[in-house]
Amino acid sequence: MLSPTTIVPPTAPVEAITIYVTDYGWHSRLVLPSRNGRLIQYAYGDWNYFALNQQDLMNGLAALFLPTQGTLGRRTFSNTSQFEQMMQRENASILSLKVGQAHVTRLLKLLDERFNRHLETRIENSQTGLTFVQDNQDYTLLYNSNHELAAWLQDLDCQIHGLIIWANFRVKTNPKTQSKKPSRALHQIDKSCSLYC
C-alpha cells in the first residue's frame, strides 16, 4: 500500500507533447496543454467536500464510505511559468511526461464535453481556484480522484502499475529520452492538502 503507483509513458509518442500530473499529497490532478498555448488543469472529487468546501466529519465519512455526488473541476493557466508558480504557492509536486499530441487533443475534447454537460451546476471555488460542475461518475473510496487520474492517463496511452489509493505516483523514465538537466517541474515540493479532495 505504501509503494508508489508507477506511470509508464508511451515509448515513442507521435508528436510528443509534455503533460503534467500535480500531486497534492492525498489527491492528484491532470494538466494538459491546449493548442492556444494555455494549460488546462482537470480534477475530480466529491461534490460536497471538494467543490462546496463542506469538510465536516459527516461529509468526510460520507465521501469515504458511501457513493456520493462526484464533481469535475477545471482551471486554466496562461503559460507554464504561471502554472509552476501556482504549484509552488499551493505546495504541490509536479510530475512531467510526454505523450502523443493526438491523444491529448482527444482527451481534452472528451473532458470539455463532460464538463459542459452539467454547466447549470457550475460554481467557482476561491479556495482551490477551480470551477466545478457536478459529474455523472459517483465518488467513492474505491473510485476517487486518483483512480480518475489513472483512467485519464490510460486514455493518453500510458500504463499504470500498482495499487491506487492516494496520490503516490511516480513516472518510469526512459533513459534514452531523459534529459541531462532535470526540469524545474520535476523538483519536489512539500505536499499538503485536505484528505478527501
Side-chain angles (χ1 to χ4, degrees):
M1 288 179 64
L2 298 177
S3 300
T5 303
T6 303
I7 305 168
V8 183
T11 54
V14 177
E15 297 182 5
I17 189 170
T18 302
I19 66 165
Y20 306 94
V21 172
T22 51
D23 180 344
Y24 290 80
W26 288 102
H27 83 111
S28 51
R29 306 175 191 172
L30 181 65
V31 180
L32 301 172
S34 64
R35 290 195 177 274
N36 60 13
R38 297 180 178 181
L39 297 173
I40 313 297
Q41 184 183 63
Y42 266 102
Y44 170 80
D46 173 78
W47 174 255
N48 287 342
Y49 203 96
F50 193 18
L52 302 183
N53 299 321
Q54 296 179 359
Q55 299 176 359
D56 54 80
L57 180 61
M58 182 177 295
N59 281 294
L61 291 174
L64 271 178
F65 299 112
L66 300 173
T68 56
Q69 174 64 59
T71 182
L72 200 62
R74 180 174 71 184
R75 69 171 160 176
T76 302
F77 301 98
S78 299
N79 50 53
T80 304
S81 178
Q82 182 195 38
F83 162 63
E84 290 184 347
Q85 289 174 12
M86 187 62 70
M87 293 304 98
Q88 289 182 357
R89 193 177 307 164
E90 295 178 357
N91 295 320
S93 299
I94 303 173
L95 298 175
S96 68
L97 56 148
K98 291 188 180 294
V99 299
Q101 173 70 69
H103 287 86
V104 172
T105 300
R106 183 171 61 251
L107 180 58
L108 263 180
K109 183 175 183 292
L110 291 173
L111 289 174
D112 287 343
E113 290 174 351
R114 180 173 165 183
F115 187 89
N116 293 333
R117 200 170 296 142
H118 297 291
L119 273 183
E120 73 280 359
T121 65
R122 178 176 52 189
I123 63 165
E124 305 289 335
N125 187 313
S126 59
Q127 291 187 24
T128 62
L130 292 161
T131 301
F132 288 100
V133 296
Q134 292 184 358
D135 190 62
N136 291 339
Q137 173 66 53
D138 287 343
Y139 181 92
T140 70
L141 177 63
L142 299 178
Y143 197 89
N144 59 36
S145 63
N146 303 306
H147 298 95
E148 185 68 39
L149 172 71
W152 293 342
L153 289 169
Q154 287 172 332
D155 286 343
L156 294 170
D157 202 27
C158 297
Q159 297 178 36
I160 306 296
H161 300 291
L163 184 64
I164 302 170
I165 298 179
W166 50 74
N168 188 18
F169 291 94
R170 69 177 178 186
V171 177
K172 182 178 180 181
T173 56
N174 185 338
K176 294 182 180 179
T177 60
Q178 188 175 13
S179 61
K180 295 180 181 178
K181 187 175 182 180
S183 166
R184 283 181 58 229
L186 293 176
H187 291 174
Q188 294 295 307
I189 306 167
D190 291 337
K191 303 175 184 178
S192 66
C193 182
S194 296
L195 178 56
Y196 308 108
C197 297

